[in-house]
Amino acid sequence: MKGWNGRILRIDLGRSRTTHESYTADFAMQFIGGRGFAAKILWDEMMPGTDPLAAESRLIFAAGPLTGFVLPSSGKLVVAAKSPLTGGYGEGQLGTHASVNLRKAGFDAIVIQGKADHPCLVSIDDDVVQILRADSLSGLGTIETERRLKQEYGQSVGSLVIGPAGERLVPFATIISMGGRSGGRPGIGAVMGSKRLKAVVVHSTKSMVAARPNELASLGSEAYKGILSKPGYKSWKNQGTMATVDWAQNNGALPTFNFREGTFDDFEKINGSAMEAMKVRVRGCPNCNMTCGNVVSDAETEESELDYENVAMLGPNIGLGDLAKVSALNRIADDYGLDTISLGSIIGFAMECYERRLVEERIEWGNFDDAKTLVGEVASRKGIGELFAQGTRRAAQVLGHEALRWAMQVKGLEVSAYDCHSAPGMALAFGTSPIGAHHKDGFMISWEASAGRNASDLEKVEKLLELQRNRTIFECFSVCRFPWLQFSLELDLYLKFFEAATGVETNLIDLHNTSDRIYALIRAFWVREYGSEWSCSLDQPPARWFEEPPRKGPTKGETLKREQYDQMLNCYYKKRGWNSQGIPTKETLNRLGLDYVSRELAVTPRA
Ligand code: PTT
Ligand code: SF4
């Protein structure tokens, strides 16, 4: 095999043992890499019902066949596990030098199992893999942890670390790299913490081998030049994802006061222009010439790397219109290793609970000090933090009193920063995302806002399927989707990258078929885990969007309509070949080469 290394590194922390395993060309073609590898390994190796934080649970790091080659934005890594937040499939796509170094070292993925009996780190230096004690790193924030690792292992080392939140098993703790990249929203950092694994460092002196190296090099160099020549390049470099604040405000999509509203009066104090005025530098993932990590100096004069989601969720969503303070919350979240989307949602939820006097501890809208105190308590699981550290779904179940109505989540994962009162297609994207309410697979709202508000429900479903199919290709190649999305690098070009890297001819139809296989497998994983608890009601977006219209802005007075949503959902199931409960049918699974899945699902108990 070329392009793929054909090797997976297995690390058993309980037995202090590391081994290499080969995989077949058929496995590579069926699952490609990244998300595909992660989903297949989790399906094969996780006994149904395994506690995600138990020793038997698996933690997967998976690169793809394009990761690490000199191609635009190719330094990503899928981090995946059964999620302690949702109880289903969980993953993130993290920018990190660890991915590039892992591939150069000759591995495509790492499977971590077992639980160490003391804090540890894994060091990979080409073929030398060591499990080392990491007592001195215990309890440290991610920023200091990475600083010390670089001091000890050198500046070129790639690191994946957790902070105190991961160590204390907060179910939305993430894995951090490069001082401000955060991956694995649904608690993949907690799974790492449960194994007492504080860090993975990866170093390599080798280089990677492509099937047609000259062709790949020339395709890559043309693509980099193509990005530089695009008219939007300068404005992207100025604001990156932060330009979305103005767009969301104009389209009534900016989450405000726990998604009660879609516009924020003080949006100009936290938008891309406000960020530009505070910018101190720019950072980016490996192999990327679009470097979108905008770094500002925050209210506590520390550096904080901003993206739209962080700012929208820790700003308008909690009623805070001061970018320096929002940035401080963002940096504190990075340092504890907490997902900012879930965190902002939880703070907003807590503020609403206080307003409704469901909790006594003061936490008022827009109050930075209250929010900061809550973040510390969540990360340390102390005081009221123990309740809110469980995420909005579980906290609402504990609080009762209809609190679930304003818990902004799907399947337990908090909704990313797009208000959907008037965006049924985006609501469906959240409802059917493979990890709970995340936007990565179906950014329907931009399509709905420009061309599609008046589109028929059928058109919306078809558009969503197209987005999910295309985007899964990026999750499997394990490269950033922004060059494609922002600068129209065509999918055909990615197919050429793939062919030059692996020597395997492919086409979009085959890759869409692979996407469908992976979607069905991930859906089956959820169904197997939920057993009798599974039903199509888990694909419903939060009640608030159906029940409480915004009081101002372009979406004033609008709500989602239940009947319309249910029709779209049913249509989506039919087009995927899933039954009325959203479960892939036997015929669909067999057609996708997943007959072993259909046999197992047939014996899964369901209501
Ligand atoms: C991603 C999610 C996002 S998506 C954002 S901002 W975004 C938040 N960023 C966080 C952060 O920062 N710190 C923190 N403590 N928590 C955070 N939670 C949120 O995490 C991210 C970029 C972005 S920025 C996006 S859209 C794109 N996402 C991609 C994707 O999903 N797939 C893909 N093939 N390419 C992508 N490119 C872009 O990558 P998760 P990252 Mg991320 C400070 O990891 O789990 O997917 O969560 O990894 O390296 O930070 O890249 O407006
Ligand atoms: Fe990372 Fe941004 Fe580059 Fe994508 S565009 S690889 S998220 S720096």
Side-chain angles (χ1 to χ4, degrees):
M1 269 190 291
K2 290 275 168 57
W4 290 282
N5 288 305
R7 286 203 313 171
I8 293 175
L9 174 63
R10 185 175 294 273
I11 301 173
D12 188 332
L13 293 173
R15 294 189 184 143
S16 244
R17 217 174 59 183
T18 70
T19 48
H20 308 165
E21 291 165 11
S22 308
Y23 61 83
T24 62
D26 183 53
F27 174 82
M29 282 316 297
Q30 293 264 319
F31 298 99
I32 305 287
R35 171 184 286 175
F37 281 13
K40 172 70 170 143
I41 294 168
L42 288 175
W43 174 268
D44 286 348
E45 299 194 16
M46 289 285 287
M47 280 289 291
T50 303
D51 177 349
L53 303 178
E56 300 74 38
S57 167
R58 300 295 195 259
L59 169 65
I60 319 278
F61 299 128
L66 300 190
T67 313
F69 284 119
V70 184
L71 297 171
S73 314
S74 67
K76 292 269 185 185
L77 184 71
V78 166
V79 299
K82 176 177 171 185
S83 160
L85 184 65
T86 67
Y89 174 79
E91 65 160 42
Q93 182 75 263
L94 176 65
T96 172
H97 286 283
S99 63
V100 177
N101 291 354
L102 184 72
R103 291 264 293 154
K104 287 185 175 167
F107 300 106
D108 297 322
I110 312 178
V111 179
I112 300 175
Q113 61 196 68
K115 189 179 282 204
D117 53 17
H118 48 74
C120 68
L121 75 82
V122 167
S123 158
I124 301 167
D125 193 351
D126 288 332
D127 265 336
V128 182
V129 182
Q130 293 174 286
I131 303 169
L132 304 166
R133 288 197 78 111
D135 306 68
S136 63
L137 299 177
S138 247
L140 291 182
T142 63
I143 297 167
E144 177 61 11
T145 304
E146 281 202 276
R147 194 190 65 75
R148 290 196 193 182
L149 291 173
K150 285 210 181 308
Q151 209 170 33
E152 183 153 355
Y153 293 91
Q155 291 300 315
S156 63
V157 80
S159 49
L160 305 164
V161 307
I162 56 166
E167 291 180 52
R168 290 185 191 117
L169 315 180
V170 175
F172 54 96
T174 58
I175 298 175
I176 302 283
S177 191
M178 300 173 62
R181 295 272 147 202
S182 161
R185 289 196 54 210
I188 312 306
V191 177
M192 187 157 157
S194 73
K195 303 198 169 301
R196 309 198 75 187
L197 178 60
K198 178 73 177 173
V200 176
V201 286
V202 194
H203 180 257
S204 176
T205 50
K206 299 193 209 164
S207 42
M208 290 163 51
V209 187
R212 303 199 288 263
N214 293 341
E215 185 185 331
L216 190 65
S218 107
L219 285 167
S221 126
E222 283 306 307
Y224 279 115
K225 279 190 223 146
I227 291 171
L228 292 180
S229 69
K230 297 280 176 180
Y233 186 73
K234 189 169 177 299
S235 59
W236 170 263
K237 289 280 278 191
N238 287 344
Q239 296 203 357
T241 61
M242 283 294 291
T244 311
V245 174
D246 286 345
W247 177 89
Q249 171 77 8
N250 292 337
N251 288 283
L254 189 64
T256 303
F257 296 115
N258 196 26
F259 288 89
R260 275 178 182 161
E261 302 290 337
T263 52
F264 185 51
D265 291 347
D266 283 335
F267 79 98
E268 281 164 316
K269 295 183 183 162
I270 53 103
N271 67 3
S273 306
M275 180 277 295
E276 279 193 72
M278 290 166 59
K279 187 157 33 170
V280 292
R281 61 201 178 92
V282 173
R283 290 198 292 236
C285 309
N287 293 350
C288 180
N289 67 347
M290 294 171 56
T291 51
C292 69
N294 287 301
V295 181
V296 299
S297 176
D298 68 33
E300 295 171 350
T301 63
E302 302 279 349
E303 289 195 350
S304 176
E305 186 176 326
L306 299 182
D307 265 306
Y308 165 71
E309 307 285 335
N310 314 330
V311 170
M313 295 306 293
L314 295 168
N317 198 53
I318 68 168
L320 181 58
D322 178 330
L323 190 58
K325 290 179 176 169
V326 172
S327 307
L329 292 177
N330 174 61
R331 186 249 315 151
I332 293 166
D334 282 350
D335 202 32
Y336 282 134
L338 284 169
D339 173 52
T340 50
I341 298 176
S342 285
L343 184 65
S345 200
I346 282 156
I347 299 171
F349 174 76
M351 287 173 168
E352 188 160 352
C353 288
Y354 176 69
E355 183 185 62
R356 294 171 185 259
R357 294 298 181 265
L358 285 188
V359 293
E360 284 170 9
E361 290 76 359
R362 195 196 69 182
I363 166 137
E364 286 182 329
W365 291 115
N367 188 313
F368 170 69
D369 293 325
D370 290 355
K372 187 177 163 187
T373 304
L374 182 63
V375 177
E377 288 177 343
V378 162
S380 58
R381 305 190 75 144
K382 293 209 174 104
I384 195 78
E386 178 54 39
L387 172 70
F388 291 113
Q390 299 176 54
T392 52
R393 180 169 70 174
R394 276 187 224 148
Q397 284 160 350
V398 172
L399 288 166
H401 299 278
E402 301 192 317
L404 260 178
R405 298 196 115 73
W406 60 92
M408 300 305 292
Q409 52 77 36
V410 177
K411 300 187 188 69
L413 183 69
E414 284 70 25
V415 173
S416 354
Y418 304 96
D419 187 83
C420 289
H421 277 98
S422 177
M426 188 70 219
L428 188 67
F430 282 137
T432 58
S433 143
I435 62 168
H438 191 54
H439 60 287
K440 70 156 90 186
D441 278 32
F443 192 51
M444 283 290 291
I445 198 161
S446 81
W447 182 80
E448 281 185 299
S450 57
R453 292 258 191 206
N454 297 324
S456 70
D457 293 352
L458 180 62
E459 277 175 283
K460 289 187 181 180
V461 171
E462 277 173 351
K463 184 69 193 171
L464 176 60
L465 285 162
E466 179 196 320
L467 291 183
Q468 291 180 337
R469 287 184 174 129
N470 285 341
R471 284 169 176 236
T472 295
I473 297 172
F474 289 86
E475 303 317 307
C476 292
F477 287 171
S478 212
V479 296
C480 179
R481 63 170 184 258
F482 280 161
W484 165 67
L485 213 58
Q486 303 294 336
F487 296 117
S488 315
L489 283 203
E490 297 201 347
L491 274 178
D492 273 353
L493 184 59
Y494 283 87
L495 302 199
K496 286 187 186 144
F497 292 161
F498 174 79
E499 290 176 354
T502 64
V504 175
E505 302 299 306
T506 190
N507 56 55
L508 207 50
I509 296 174
D510 283 351
L511 287 176
H512 281 175
N513 202 39
T514 305
S515 291
D516 287 353
R517 176 179 307 116
I518 294 164
Y519 252 71
L521 183 61
I522 290 176
R523 180 46 72 122
F525 185 87
W526 280 91
V527 172
R528 189 174 71 172
E529 289 301 331
Y530 271 64
S532 61
E533 307 281 304
W534 178 266
S535 88
C536 61
S537 64
L538 286 155
D539 289 339
Q540 289 285 328
R544 165 155 283 163
W545 287 335
F546 293 101
E547 295 172 353
E548 291 175 57
R551 285 163 296 186
K552 55 188 179 179
T555 59
K556 179 180 170 184
E558 293 185 27
T559 58
L560 295 181
K561 309 283 175 292
R562 287 237 180 250
E563 201 182 331
Q564 181 193 20
Y565 184 83
D566 289 344
Q567 272 169 8
M568 287 170 66
L569 185 62
N570 280 326
C571 174
Y572 174 91
Y573 289 162
K574 281 201 185 108
K575 287 195 167 283
R576 277 215 171 275
W578 298 356
N579 71 15
S580 61
Q581 291 303 312
I583 301 170
T585 62
K586 187 175 167 194
E587 294 69 32
T588 301
L589 290 168
N590 291 350
R591 177 174 51 80
L592 294 168
L594 297 172
D595 31 337
Y596 52 93
V597 174
S598 88
R599 282 195 295 277
E600 204 171 324
L601 276 196
V603 292
T604 299
R606 274 186 299 280

